[in-house]
Amino acid sequence: MAEEKKSVKGPQNLILENRRVLTATGVSNVDSFDEQTIIAYTDLGQLIIKGTKLQINKLNIDTGELTLNGEISSMSYSENQPTGGFLTKLFK
């Protein structure tokens, strides 16, 4: 069974405090995370957070809130990638 990504409608905010604490709203899913990179999905695209010693403190998919800490060096958006290609749609 395919897992559906929940869409969180509402404002997208990024609040960065002293490059150590990040609070993001409008997050619908976290794809992957480790101490150097966190990849989160939002309605505005894929949010990529890079740094060192990154830790997720709070993730609430129902409200779309993500809070993390660590030494944050960059945050960037990329466009949402299409989910699957021709063969995925064919064998659905």
Side-chain angles (χ1 to χ4, degrees), residues 48-90:
I48 302 167
I49 303 149
K50 293 189 178 188
T52 55
K53 300 178 186 174
L54 298 178
Q55 297 178 338
I56 294 177
N57 291 338
K58 178 182 176 184
L59 174 62
N60 188 333
I61 298 299
D62 293 330
T63 62
E65 186 175 343
L66 169 67
T67 304
L68 59 97
N69 67 355
E71 297 173 20
I72 300 166
S73 59
S74 72
M75 297 178 292
S76 63
Y77 281 98
S78 65
E79 294 300 316
N80 283 331
Q81 300 297 321
T83 56
F86 171 75
L87 291 176
T88 302
K89 292 177 185 176
L90 182 68

Side-chain angles (χ1 to χ4, degrees), residues 10 13 15 24 29-30 35 39 45 48 56-57 69 84 87-88 91:
N13 293 308
I15 301 169
N29 193 12
V30 171
E35 288 189 342
I39 300 174
I48 302 167
I56 294 177
N57 291 338
N69 67 355
L87 291 176
T88 302
F91 292 109

